[in-house]
């Protein structure tokens, strides 16, 4: 900020000022140099400096290489003044300030009376300086460039150098008149831009020629004559500008719309942000929190209703009948795109989630209607087929994936001893009953009837033993027993694996390959053995 006005000398000793008052507070001189200043100190410049004459007072603010500086009369950082100054520091409890009514003005001193979303930037009792005023009289302050709500402060001091509204209007009219006269005198065909005719206001949302969205921040009059119309800065940036000939306002019908899930919004001010979002960011509404604000899916944070405006209205979310099947069009919570669910409850409110249930009825949850579309009959049938029981109690299976306790190896043959639990896992048991575990259907491979038959007796498929009773499936030659004959394997052929001997009814011994027989009764289950 520039020099301080309204500083009064309270006490002098041998010609040196030792005590001053400013805005009702008393400041006493403290010994020290630049390294001893603190935020909020008032310093007296003792030597000439550009844009900071000797004898003027300035307030110490944050900034500069050492962490503190002052702002000279040109509005620039001027830390060198701290090398040639007398330091005054506020003493005693703050005196009672008379508050000033009306709207804040640039340069006003304000005192924080409450904090809404201050974080560590300011506290109740802090005295700050108005740098910029928003249309609804919220302000940005010089000390930390933080936005402060009008409800958070009272005005306790007015900078006498700040022009009144009437003075600013008079100055504007004088400038426009001078420009008009200058154009007539020069005879040049100069375009005079009358900013009083601007059709925009700060915090209006506009769309540029490229389709990009901007939030108008403040006028940029130095660029009014660059050929692009009245100039504005956008998105609370001091860099760059945009002309009114390059933009078009997003209609009030859209920006004033009540947000709903799926809408696009633009940040127009930062109150609750801790750096997650900035003015100008375009985000998507994930959840509406009554009248107080929204949650956005892009960042997973909430925005207050005063921090955003709607810029794109999403199509109306579909409605569903209870008992209807729907399909997810995107991943949401524990559900994946393509999942089919059953609608269990729908009150018709766009802002409230639907109660849903898996098609197998095992569990339920909630979903935003904007994430769902009506499922086709084919999609429902496929989903039901996927969730249909894959195993029954008593079935045999081979482990092909992870189990719950992870202590049964892949490739192990197990028996299904219980149906699915709430997690959809089957209880499985080793064939010798020495251990059990739980596994989802995806970790199990159902065995065929033949595989199951051998698994029950603890054998590999086509593992035969002497004493087994088998049935002949194929007759190789006319010397063998006919198909369907029941025979007993009485011995093996030593020189050929899988070849067994059996005795025909005639008493002759013949050979049979394991590939041509089927197990009827294993030797372990014969009562005559």
């Amino acid at each position: 900020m520039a020099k301080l006005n309204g500083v009064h000398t309270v006490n002098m000793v041998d010609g040196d000022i030792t005590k001053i008052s400013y805005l009702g507070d008393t400041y006493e001189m403290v010994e020290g140099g630049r390294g001893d200043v603190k935020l909020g100190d008032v310093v007296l410049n003792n030597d000439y400096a550009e844009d900071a004459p000797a004898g003027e007072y300035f307030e110490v603010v944050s900034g500069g290489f050492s962490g503190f500086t002052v702002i000279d009369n040109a509005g620039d950082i001027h830390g060198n003044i701290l090398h040639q100054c007398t330091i005054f520091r506020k003493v005693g409890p703050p005196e009672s300030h008379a508050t000033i009514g009306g709207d804040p003005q640039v340069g006003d001193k304000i005192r924080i009376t409450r904090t809404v979303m201050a974080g560590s930037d300011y506290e109740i009792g802090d005295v700050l300086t108005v740098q910029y005023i928003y249309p609804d009289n919220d302000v940005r302050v010089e000390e930390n460039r933080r936005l402060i709500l009008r409800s958070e402060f009272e005005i306790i001091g007015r900078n006498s150098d700040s022009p009144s509204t009437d003075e600013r209007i008079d100055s504007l009219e004088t400038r426009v008149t001078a420009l008009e006269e200058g154009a007539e005198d020069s005879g040049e065909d100069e375009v005079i831009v009358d900013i009083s005719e601007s059709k925009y206001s700060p915090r209006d949302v506009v769309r540029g020629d490229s389709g990009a969205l901007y939030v108008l921040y403040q006028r940029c009059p130095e660029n009014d004559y660059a050929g692009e119309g009245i100039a504005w800065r956008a998105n609370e940036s001091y860099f760059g500008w945009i002309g009114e000939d390059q933009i078009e306002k997003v209609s009030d019908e859209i920006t004033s719309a009540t947000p709903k899930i799926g809408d696009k919004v633009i940040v127009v001010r930062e109150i609750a942000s801790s750096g997650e979002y900035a003015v100008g960011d375009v985000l998507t509404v994930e959840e509406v929190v009554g009248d107080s604000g929204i949650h956005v899916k892009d960042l997973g944070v909430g925005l207050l209703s005063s921090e955003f405006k709607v810029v794109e209205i999403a199509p109306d979310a579909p409605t569903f009948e209870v008992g209807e099947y729907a399909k997810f069009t995107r991943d949401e919570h524990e559900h994946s795109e393509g999942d089919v669910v059953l609608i269990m409850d729908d009150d018709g409110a766009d802002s409230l989630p639907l109660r849903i249930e898996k098609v197998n009825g095992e569990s339920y949850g909630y979903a935003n209607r904007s994430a769902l579309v009506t499922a086709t009959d084919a999609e429902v049938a496929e989903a039901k087929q996927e969730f249909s029981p894959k195993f029954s109690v008593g079935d045999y299976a081979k482990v092909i994936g992870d189990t719950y306790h992870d202590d049964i190896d892949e490739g192990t043959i197990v028996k299904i001893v219980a149906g699915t639990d709430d997690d959809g896992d089957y209880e499985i048991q080793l064939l010798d009953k020495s251990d059990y575990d739980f596994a989802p259907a995806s970790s199990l491979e159902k065995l065929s009837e033949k595989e199951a038959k051998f698994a029950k007796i603890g054998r590999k498929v086509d593992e035969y033993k002497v004493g087994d009773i088998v049935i002949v499936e194929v007759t190789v030659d006319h010397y063998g027993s006919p198909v369907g004959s029941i025979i007993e394997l009485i011995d093996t052929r030593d020189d050929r694996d899988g070849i067994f001997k059996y005795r025909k009814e005639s008493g002759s011994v013949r050979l049979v390959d394991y590939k041509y027989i089927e197990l009827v009764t294993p030797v372990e289950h014969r009562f005559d053995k």
Side-chain angles (χ1 to χ4, degrees):
M1 58 179 296
K3 69 175 183 178
L4 301 180
N5 294 293
V7 178
H8 302 285
T9 300
V10 176
N11 191 43
M12 294 182 66
V13 176
D14 296 330
D16 294 327
I17 300 173
T18 59
K19 186 181 293 186
I20 63 173
S21 68
Y22 176 56
L23 294 177
D25 288 318
T26 300
Y27 293 73
E28 288 185 349
M29 183 185 72
V30 296
E31 298 294 336
R34 177 170 185 160
D36 300 299
V37 297
K38 294 184 178 180
L39 185 68
D41 284 351
V42 172
V43 297
L44 171 63
N45 186 25
N46 295 320
D47 201 354
Y48 171 80
E50 186 176 1
D51 297 317
E56 293 186 344
Y57 292 87
F58 299 88
E59 184 176 4
V60 176
V61 297
S62 298
F65 295 104
S66 65
F68 300 112
T69 188
V70 299
I71 308 299
D72 62 23
N73 296 331
D76 298 322
I77 291 175
H78 208 142
N80 288 338
I81 294 175
L82 299 179
H83 290 291
Q84 55 191 42
C85 69
T86 301
I87 306 170
F88 294 88
R89 185 161 298 150
K90 187 186 301 185
V91 295
E95 300 175 12
S96 175
H97 293 284
T99 59
I100 299 174
D103 297 335
Q105 296 180 12
V106 173
D108 281 355
K109 285 292 182 180
I110 61 172
R111 181 171 57 199
I112 302 300
T113 57
R114 60 183 295 224
T115 56
V116 178
M117 300 299 294
S120 61
D121 293 329
Y122 56 92
E123 299 176 349
I124 293 176
D126 286 354
V127 176
L128 305 169
T129 308
V130 175
Q131 181 185 56
Y132 179 79
I133 303 169
Y134 294 94
D136 47 8
N137 287 323
D138 297 340
V139 301
R140 186 180 65 231
V141 294
E142 290 183 357
E143 286 76 5
N144 54 27
R145 290 184 50 78
R146 184 66 193 263
L147 174 105
I148 299 179
L149 303 179
R150 182 62 184 91
S151 61
E152 293 183 286
F153 67 86
E154 60 185 0
I155 306 168
I156 60 171
R158 178 136 291 160
N159 185 352
S160 60
D161 287 346
S162 295
S164 66
T165 302
D166 290 339
E167 289 172 335
R168 289 197 295 268
I169 293 174
D170 290 342
S171 175
L172 173 62
E173 291 175 345
T174 300
R175 178 171 174 241
V176 171
T177 301
L179 289 169
E180 291 173 344
E181 292 173 351
E184 293 172 357
D185 293 342
S186 64
E188 297 177 359
D189 186 18
E190 182 178 354
V191 177
I192 302 301
V193 179
D194 184 355
I195 62 172
S196 65
E197 294 182 357
S198 174
K199 57 186 177 181
Y200 296 107
S201 301
R203 214 171 294 154
D204 277 350
V205 179
V206 298
R207 192 181 302 275
D209 292 339
S210 65
L213 292 165
Y214 303 94
V215 178
L216 296 184
Y217 168 44
Q218 65 182 21
R219 287 277 293 106
C220 185
E222 63 270 25
N223 289 306
D224 282 345
Y225 312 101
E228 299 294 351
I230 296 174
W232 288 84
R233 298 196 191 281
N235 298 350
E236 294 205 0
S237 171
Y238 280 109
F239 305 100
W241 59 276
I242 191 168
E244 291 190 2
D245 293 347
Q246 299 172 298
I247 57 178
E248 181 178 356
K249 184 178 179 181
V250 177
S251 74
D252 292 337
E253 183 179 356
I254 294 177
T255 57
S256 62
T258 300
K260 67 177 187 299
I261 295 170
D263 285 354
K264 297 286 186 182
V265 300
I266 190 169
V267 178
V268 297
R269 64 198 299 188
E270 299 173 47
I271 298 176
S273 175
S274 297
E276 300 94 342
Y277 55 88
V279 172
D281 287 353
V282 177
L283 308 167
T284 305
V285 179
E286 182 178 49
E287 181 182 357
V288 178
V289 187
D291 296 329
S292 61
I294 59 173
H295 280 281
V296 292
K297 70 176 183 179
D298 313 74
L299 303 174
V301 299
L303 275 72
L304 300 175
S305 57
S306 57
E307 290 186 286
F308 66 88
K309 289 184 178 181
V310 176
V311 291
E312 183 179 318
I313 298 175
D316 291 336
T319 58
F320 299 94
E321 298 290 337
V322 174
E324 185 179 357
Y325 288 96
K327 181 182 72 172
F328 277 90
T329 59
R330 63 171 186 258
D331 293 345
E332 185 175 86
H333 305 306
E334 73 274 18
H335 303 287
S336 301
E337 180 180 351
D339 284 355
V340 175
V341 293
L342 179 66
I343 305 299
M344 300 298 294
D345 187 24
D346 180 10
D347 62 5
D350 289 346
S351 60
L352 297 178
L354 298 166
R355 185 171 180 266
I356 58 174
E357 185 178 80
K358 291 181 179 180
V359 294
N360 65 345
E362 288 180 354
S363 63
Y364 72 89
Y366 293 89
N368 290 311
R369 67 184 65 250
S370 59
L372 300 171
V373 295
T374 300
T376 64
D377 292 342
E379 290 168 337
V380 174
E382 182 179 353
K384 288 183 175 181
Q385 178 64 33
E386 180 183 352
F387 277 102
S388 60
K390 293 180 172 59
F391 299 95
S392 300
V393 174
D395 284 349
Y396 291 83
K398 180 168 66 175
V399 176
I400 60 173
D402 295 335
T403 60
Y404 183 79
H405 295 296
D406 200 26
D407 57 2
I408 295 182
D409 297 332
E410 292 187 25
T412 303
I413 304 301
V414 294
K415 183 178 181 180
I416 308 297
V417 295
T420 55
D421 56 18
D422 290 340
D423 294 326
D425 292 345
Y426 291 92
E427 184 177 353
I428 57 177
Q429 188 179 73
L430 295 180
L431 298 183
D432 62 3
K433 300 182 181 181
S434 62
D435 197 4
Y436 75 96
D437 205 334
F438 299 88
S442 59
S443 292
L444 301 171
E445 182 180 276
K446 191 171 184 178
L447 300 182
S448 66
E449 184 178 351
K450 185 175 184 179
E451 290 171 326
K453 181 185 293 186
F454 280 91
K456 289 177 184 178
I457 58 176
R459 298 190 200 177
K460 297 178 181 179
V461 176
D462 290 333
E463 181 184 348
Y464 293 94
K465 295 181 180 181
V466 173
D468 286 347
I469 302 299
V470 300
I471 185 172
V472 176
E473 296 278 309
V474 177
T475 299
V476 178
D477 55 55
H478 63 280
Y479 296 108
S481 297
V483 173
S485 298
I486 302 297
I487 60 176
E488 176 187 5
L489 304 181
I490 61 174
D491 202 354
T492 59
R493 181 166 173 170
D494 296 336
D495 59 345
R496 291 179 64 184
D497 291 338
I499 303 298
F500 291 88
K501 296 178 182 179
Y502 73 95
R503 192 181 306 278
K504 295 180 64 174
E505 292 181 2
S506 62
S508 61
V509 175
R510 300 293 299 168
L511 298 176
V512 65
D513 195 308
Y514 78 93
K515 293 182 291 185
Y516 304 137
I517 57 179
E518 187 69 36
L519 183 64
V520 174
T521 304
V523 63
E524 298 92 340
H525 293 177
R526 289 179 60 180
F527 292 112
D528 60 339
K529 292 290 186 179

